[in-house]
Amino acid sequence: MLETRLDLDRIRAARQVIDPVFLDTPLYRCEALEPLLGCSVNIKLETANPVRSFKGRGTEVVADHLVRSDSRAVVCASAGNLGQALAWSGRRRNLDVTVVASRFATPAKLDRIRALGATLELVDGDHELARDRAAEIAHHQGIRLLEDSLDLETCEGAATIALELVGSLEPNAAVLIALGGGAMATGIGYVLKMLAPDVEVICVQPHGAPALTLSWHQRRVVTTETTNTIADGVAGRRPIPEVLNDLLLVADDAVLVEESSILKAIRLLHDQAGLITEPSAALGIAAVLESPTRFTNRPITTIICGSNVDQSKYRNWLTA
Amino acid sequence: MLETRLDLDRIRAARQVIDPVFLDTPLYRCEALEPLLGCSVNIKLETANPVRSFKGRGTEVVADHLVRSDSRAVVCASAGNLGQALAWSGRRRNLDVTVVASRFATPAKLDRIRALGATLELVDGDHELARDRAAEIAHHQGIRLLEDSLDLETCEGAATIALELVGSLEPNAAVLIALGGGAMATGIGYVLKMLAPDVEVICVQPHGAPALTLSWHQRRVVTTETTNTIADGVAGRRPIPEVLNDLLLVADDAVLVEESSILKAIRLLHDQAGLITEPSAALGIAAVLESPTRFTNRPITTIICGSNVDQSKYRNWLTA
C-alpha cells in the first residue's frame, strides 16, 4: 500500500456523487499527432462539459460534502477553473460561493465565474495572495475554505479520471499530467500506481512556474519569488507540504518545459487534433516535443484538462 | 408507427456493434452561448473521437455487416468524413476500403483517408460525380457499394445519437440537425419522433446547397445544377428519393441559412464554446442566429457533427 492521503475506496465513492456530465469523458487515439511526435498519442478530453475543465469532478465532491454537512457557504482561491467549477456545483445546490482570484487572472475565466452567480473578489497580486485572502474570508465568516490540492475532495475528484484510464493502458505507457497545485497529479498518479503500477506517471510544469517540480526533485518544499508563464492554471509559487509528500510517492518524474514548447503544443493540438486548449492543457504534448526519444514508439496518454482561454490571446498564440 | 425505412430495434442493435469510442458522446449545456442566442443551448459533441465526426457510428455498422457476410471490400463516395470513418472501421477489420472523392474536397480530410490506409480516387468534378464513379467501381469489381443515406446502416448509425438524447429533451425542445444526404436527419429524426414526439426536429442546410431542403418543401425530388457553400460536408445536388420519403415523415421543418451566418456560428462556437467546428457542424447555430424569435427561451440541442477543417481556411474563417 502507498502511504499517501488518498484511498481507492474513497475515490470510487467520489465518482458516485459527481454529476455524470463530468464523467466518462472521451478517451481516444489521435493519429494525426503521431507522425509529429513519434509516439502513439491518446487524448483524455476534460473540456467537453459545462465548465470546460476537469475541475468539476472535484467541486462536485466538495459541494456534495457541504450539503451533507448542512454547510451553505464556501470560499476558494482560484486561477479561474476551480472557481468556475465550484460556482457551477454550488449554484445547483443553493450554496453561497465566493471565489478569490488575482486581478491578473484570465478575464474569460473571471467572466464565467460571475455569470455562474458566484461572488468574485479580486486581489492586487498573484494566486498566492488570493490564497491568503480566501483563508482570511473563511476565518472571518466562519465558512468552509476549499484549498485546491490540499483538500482531499479536489484530489479524489481528479483521481476519478484515472479510473477511466486504467483499463486502456499498456505496461510501457506514459501518462503526462499538468502539474499545478498537485491535485490532478497526486490523484491520477495514486490510482495509476495502485491499479497500473508499470505505467510511468510524468508531471509537467513550465520553467516559468517550477516550484512543485523543484520541490519534487529536492524532496523538500521549494518556493519561488515569482512566476512567469502563459500557463495560468499551474502558476503557483508555494507548494503544499502534504501534497508534495503524496507526489513523491506517486510520480515517476516531474519535468519542466519552455514557453515556446507550450505554444508549439497549443498549435499542434489546434491544427492536428482540432482541439482548443489552454496552456496548462498543452503541457503534456510540450513535454513530448522536448524529449522525443524518451517516448519513441511508446503509447502516451495526456489529459487535456482545460480550454478556457482569452480569445485575443489565443489567436495570438496560434500565429506566434 | 411511422412508415419509414427505419426501425427502433435495428437501431438499438446497431448500437451494440459500434466501437464504444463513438458512443455516449458529451452532451452538455453551453451557457456562454446563451446570452448571444437567447435560448438554452445544449451541445452534442461528435468530434472527440479518432475520425472527428459522427460518421464512425454508421461505418462501424457497415463494417460489422461486411465481416459477417464474409465480404472483404467496400467502396464509397465521400466528401471526406464518411471516407475517413469507413477507412478507420475497415482497417481494424482488414477490409479493403476504396474512397472516391472530388479533387476539390477538403485536403485535410483526404490526407486522413490516405493515412488510414484506404485507396483514394479523386474525380475531376463534384460529389455527385464521385457517387457515379463509386457505383462504377463497385459494379466492375463486384464489391459492396456503400451509399451514404441510402444504405440503412448509415442512417441507423447516426440514429444512435438520438438514443443518447431522448432522456434529456423537454417537450418544447428543438433539435437542430445538419442536412446533407439525409442520413443524420432521418436517423435522428426517426428516433425522436418515436420516443420524444413533441420535440421539434429541424433540418438545416445552406442556401448554397439547398436540394434536399427544397425537395422536402415541395414533397418531390428537386435537384440543383451546382452548389456553392463552405459547408463541404452537406454539399449534395441529387437527393435520394427513399431518403426524402423518410425525411418527409420525421422532420418538422427544413431551413436554409446564409454563408455569413455559418461563418458567424463557426466563430461563436470557437470563441464562446471553445470548439473547432467544420461548417456543416455550425449549421444549427447558424439557424438560431437567423431566426432568434423562433427559439427564444426554448431549449435547443445541436449536434456538432464534425471538426475536420483545413487550417488555412479555418483561420481565415475566424478572422473573416
Side-chain angles (χ1 to χ4, degrees):
Chain A
M1 291 292 291
L2 285 168
E3 294 299 322
T4 68
R5 300 177 301 144
L6 288 149
D7 175 85
L8 270 184
D9 287 338
R10 271 213 318 274
I11 293 164
R12 292 190 176 112
R15 200 182 137 89
Q16 302 306 313
V17 303
I18 299 171
D19 189 287
V21 80
F22 296 109
L23 297 175
D24 299 319
T25 53
L27 171 65
Y28 60 100
R29 192 168 160 196
C30 181
E31 290 182 61
L33 285 168
E34 297 182 358
L36 302 152
L37 297 177
C39 55
S40 170
V41 181
N42 298 287
I43 297 285
K44 180 66 170 168
L45 191 70
E46 292 291 315
T47 62
N49 64 52
V51 299
R52 291 170 55 177
S53 86
F54 77 99
K55 295 282 189 183
R57 295 182 185 251
T59 58
E60 283 290 283
V61 183
V62 172
D64 178 74
H65 289 182
L66 283 167
V67 169
R68 285 172 200 265
S69 64
D70 271 334
S71 303
R72 308 306 315 172
V74 56
V75 59
C76 76
S78 171
N81 282 344
L82 180 72
Q84 196 181 149
L86 188 61
W88 190 91
S89 293
R91 183 180 66 176
R92 56 203 291 267
R93 295 174 178 89
N94 289 313
L95 303 177
D96 284 329
V97 173
T98 301
V99 179
V100 186
S102 163
R103 71 180 181 87
F104 307 110
T106 298
K109 294 179 178 178
L110 301 180
D111 289 346
R112 295 307 310 152
I113 291 169
R114 289 189 194 96
L116 287 163
T119 301
L120 177 65
E121 182 175 322
L122 299 180
V123 296
D124 191 21
D126 72 359
H127 180 62
E128 303 300 349
L129 186 66
R131 283 175 64 191
D132 295 340
R133 176 62 187 147
E136 205 173 87
I137 291 172
H139 180 72
H140 283 298
Q141 298 187 6
I143 61 173
R144 166 77 188 269
L145 172 66
L146 174 62
E147 289 208 70
D148 202 359
S149 305
L150 177 61
D151 289 3
L152 282 177
E153 296 104 324
T154 62
C155 307
E156 289 162 357
T160 61
I161 295 171
L163 295 177
E164 300 167 20
L165 292 179
V166 285
S168 70
L169 295 168
E170 296 164 62
N172 67 330
V175 175
L176 296 149
I177 312 169
L179 185 61
M184 186 162 61
T186 55
I188 291 177
Y190 173 78
V191 172
L192 295 181
K193 285 302 152 203
M194 293 295 286
L195 301 180
D198 294 331
V199 170
E200 195 178 19
V201 174
I202 303 174
C203 307
V204 190
Q205 216 165 26
H207 276 288
L212 191 45
T213 297
L214 297 177
S215 303
W216 186 87
H217 283 280
Q218 299 184 27
R219 306 185 68 81
R220 64 177 182 90
V221 169
V222 177
T223 60
T224 61
E225 286 299 307
T226 55
T227 62
N228 184 17
T229 177
I230 60 168
D232 60 302
V234 296
R237 296 187 292 107
R238 297 191 325 230
I240 298 167
E242 294 88 336
V243 182
L244 174 59
N245 288 342
D246 290 349
L247 196 66
L248 285 167
L249 293 166
V250 303
D252 293 301
D253 201 357
V255 301
L256 297 174
V257 294
E258 304 286 351
E259 296 295 293
S260 58
S261 305
I262 301 172
L263 281 170
K264 192 170 174 192
I266 288 171
R267 285 194 290 268
L268 276 182
L269 285 161
H270 188 279
D271 293 352
Q272 303 299 327
L275 297 175
I276 293 175
T277 54
E278 58 180 276
S280 308
L283 288 168
I285 298 298
V288 178
L289 287 169
E290 290 199 4
S291 302
T293 56
R294 177 174 187 168
F295 301 104
T296 304
N297 293 330
R298 290 175 64 189
I300 68 131
T301 298
T302 189
I303 293 108
I304 304 297
C305 53
S307 68
N308 287 296
V309 291
D310 275 330
Q311 275 312 314
S312 54
K313 276 192 190 168
Y314 185 76
R315 288 177 199 216
N316 286 340
W317 296 335
L318 286 188
T319 53
Chain B
M1 291 294 291
L2 286 167
E3 294 300 322
T4 69
R5 301 177 302 144
L6 288 148
D7 175 84
L8 269 186
D9 288 338
R10 272 213 317 274
I11 292 164
R12 292 190 176 111
R15 200 182 137 90
Q16 302 305 313
V17 304
I18 299 173
D19 187 289
V21 80
F22 296 109
L23 297 175
D24 299 319
T25 53
L27 172 63
Y28 59 100
R29 191 168 159 194
C30 182
E31 290 182 60
L33 284 168
E34 297 181 359
L36 302 152
L37 297 177
C39 55
S40 170
V41 181
N42 298 286
I43 298 285
K44 181 65 170 169
L45 191 71
E46 292 292 314
T47 62
N49 65 52
V51 298
R52 291 170 55 177
S53 85
F54 77 100
K55 295 281 189 184
R57 295 181 185 251
T59 58
E60 284 289 283
V61 183
V62 172
D64 177 75
H65 289 183
L66 283 166
V67 169
R68 285 172 200 263
S69 64
D70 272 334
S71 303
R72 308 306 314 172
V74 56
V75 59
C76 76
S78 172
N81 282 343
L82 180 72
Q84 197 181 148
L86 187 62
W88 190 92
S89 293
R91 184 181 64 176
R92 56 202 293 266
R93 295 176 177 88
N94 289 313
L95 303 177
D96 285 328
V97 173
T98 301
V99 179
V100 186
S102 162
R103 70 179 182 87
F104 306 110
T106 299
K109 294 179 178 178
L110 301 180
D111 289 346
R112 297 307 310 152
I113 291 169
R114 290 188 193 95
L116 288 163
T119 301
L120 178 65
E121 182 175 322
L122 299 181
V123 296
D124 192 20
D126 72 359
H127 180 63
E128 303 300 349
L129 186 66
R131 283 174 63 190
D132 294 342
R133 176 63 187 146
E136 204 172 271
I137 290 172
H139 180 73
H140 283 298
Q141 298 187 8
I143 61 174
R144 165 77 189 268
L145 172 67
L146 174 62
E147 288 209 71
D148 203 359
S149 307
L150 178 61
D151 288 3
L152 281 178
E153 296 104 323
T154 62
C155 307
E156 290 163 355
T160 61
I161 296 172
L163 295 177
E164 301 167 20
L165 292 179
V166 284
S168 70
L169 295 169
E170 295 164 63
N172 67 329
V175 175
L176 295 149
I177 313 169
L179 185 63
M184 186 162 62
T186 54
I188 291 177
Y190 173 77
V191 172
L192 294 181
K193 284 302 151 204
M194 292 295 285
L195 300 180
D198 293 331
V199 169
E200 195 178 19
V201 173
I202 303 174
C203 307
V204 189
Q205 213 165 29
H207 275 290
L212 190 46
T213 296
L214 297 177
S215 303
W216 186 85
H217 283 280
Q218 299 184 25
R219 306 184 67 84
R220 63 178 183 88
V221 169
V222 178
T223 59
T224 61
E225 286 299 307
T226 56
T227 62
N228 184 18
T229 176
I230 60 168
D232 59 302
V234 295
R237 297 188 290 107
R238 296 192 324 231
I240 299 167
E242 294 88 335
V243 182
L244 174 60
N245 288 342
D246 290 348
L247 196 66
L248 285 167
L249 292 167
V250 303
D252 294 301
D253 201 358
V255 301
L256 297 174
V257 295
E258 303 286 350
E259 296 295 293
S260 58
S261 304
I262 301 173
L263 282 170
K264 192 171 175 192
I266 288 172
R267 285 194 291 268
L268 275 182
L269 285 161
H270 188 279
D271 293 352
Q272 302 299 326
L275 297 174
I276 294 175
T277 54
E278 56 181 278
S280 307
L283 288 169
I285 298 298
V288 178
L289 286 169
E290 291 199 3
S291 303
T293 54
R294 177 173 188 169
F295 301 105
T296 304
N297 294 330
R298 290 176 64 187
I300 69 130
T301 298
T302 188
I303 293 111
I304 303 298
C305 53
S307 69
N308 287 298
V309 290
D310 275 328
Q311 275 312 314
S312 54
K313 275 192 192 169
Y314 185 76
R315 287 176 200 218
N316 287 339
W317 295 336
L318 286 187
T319 53

